[in-house]
Amino acid sequence: MLPKVELHLHLEGAAPPAFIRGLAAEKKMDLSGIFNAAGDYSYTDFWHFLKVYEAATETLKSPEDYGRLTRAVLAESAASGVVYSECFLSPDFCGGRDVSAWREFLQAIREAADAAERADGIVLRGIVTPIRHFGPEKARETALCAAETAGDWIVGFGLAGDEKILEPKDFAWSFDAAREAGLRLTCHAGEWRGPESVRAAIRDLGVERIGHGVRAIEDLSLVDEIAEAGVVLEVCPGSNVALGIYPSLKDHPIAALRARGVAVTVSTDDPPFFHTTMEREYAGLADAFDWDESDLGAIAAASARAAFCDPDTRERILKRLEKAHA
Ligand code: ADE
Ligand code: ZN
């Protein structure tokens, strides 16, 4: 199995449905409405998906719950060959944006990540991520949590949630605070809105990566600007197809973006929601675009180069990839 690097993974969105059902049973919560008869998460569209996601997250109450979640998620990632992963963490769900509570959640997540690294060799880093539709005020509190814990483990700051609501510039204060704390920046854009949304994220937030960004393809001059500036796209093909942005992988613009010189990376976003894994993403792309091992190896290497971790960790990961292809 090829070693892989994942840059765009929402920790709660990666929770196996059986794990959430187990927590709900322990806590005597009725979450039957968010699952279908087969036991999978059930939703009708992206906005319903966000509601189901937040309902599932209701079961995750304590730092210990987050530690267990982290172990469950990293076991799935490691089984797919992932050697390095960055996940989105939201103080909204981890302690209600209270800094000292957030520190406790983070501690539990880091201990679980250390245990996974010892067991499976998988390396995890965190990106603190406010939720766009929770609004700029909460994002400010989230940015303060991020700034307090910025370092060699919390390495980035992002923005997820409903792209149709508000504008990137509404979050400029939070992104400025995160940048001043030394965090690297990314923002979901070009998933539910077109090129203008991607332009605004780059211009108004100064991000160096874009979550998704695929709808930049609707304006080739923007695609060229992204390629020229070296802005990296965190592409999640299976997510885009599952949510109906493109009818099939063959219709997905990842190959066109790559051919035009954009640094594309591949991730799963919220794997059980979209019936995907990193192994399935790579296999699906090989099938849809006739990509061979050298194409997939190049995607993994581009992902490692775009990682927000410290240079030593990045070099270590790149060496692991090189060894697999030697
Ligand atoms: N949160 C979890 N998954 C997301 C996605 N695909 N877009 C925006 N916010 C998200
Ligand atoms: Zn996402």
Side-chain angles (χ1 to χ4, degrees), residues 143-262:
L144 294 177
C145 289
E148 284 291 328
T149 52
D152 60 0
W153 203 88
I154 290 294
V155 292
F157 188 75
L159 183 64
D162 187 356
E163 187 187 355
K164 295 229 172 165
I165 292 176
L166 300 162
E167 298 300 326
K169 67 174 162 42
D170 298 321
F171 298 89
W173 189 96
S174 300
F175 276 73
D176 287 346
R179 185 188 300 102
E180 276 166 34
L183 292 166
R184 313 271 302 267
L185 306 176
T186 178
C187 176
H188 280 63
E191 182 190 21
W192 296 103
R193 290 165 80 177
E196 268 321 303
S197 175
V198 177
R199 278 210 164 83
I202 296 170
R203 180 189 62 227
D204 298 334
L205 302 179
V207 296
E208 47 186 311
R209 295 195 331 220
I210 295 280
H212 300 286
V214 286
R215 289 188 55 195
I217 198 71
E218 294 164 28
D219 177 348
L220 292 181
S221 67
L222 172 62
V223 173
D224 292 342
E225 283 168 38
I226 288 172
E228 178 70 20
V231 170
V232 172
L233 301 189
E234 302 158 6
V235 182
C236 307
S239 161
N240 296 155
V241 172
L243 289 170
I245 295 173
Y246 301 105
S248 79
L249 271 186
K250 279 197 197 320
D251 300 295
H252 194 282
I254 185 169
L257 289 161
R258 180 169 179 243
R260 219 173 158 97
V262 174

Side-chain angles (χ1 to χ4, degrees), residues 8 10 88 160 188 191 212 236 269-270:
H8 188 119
H10 300 263
F88 297 119
H188 280 63
E191 182 190 21
H212 300 286
C236 307
D269 210 5
D270 308 281

Side-chain angles (χ1 to χ4, degrees), residues 5 20 30 60 84 122 137 163 184 222 228 238 250 276 294 297 310:
V5 170
I20 294 295
D30 178 15
L60 294 157
Y84 175 88
I122 183 170
E137 262 316 305
E163 187 187 355
R184 313 271 302 267
L222 172 62
E228 178 70 20
K250 279 197 197 320
T276 190
S294 80
D310 62 276

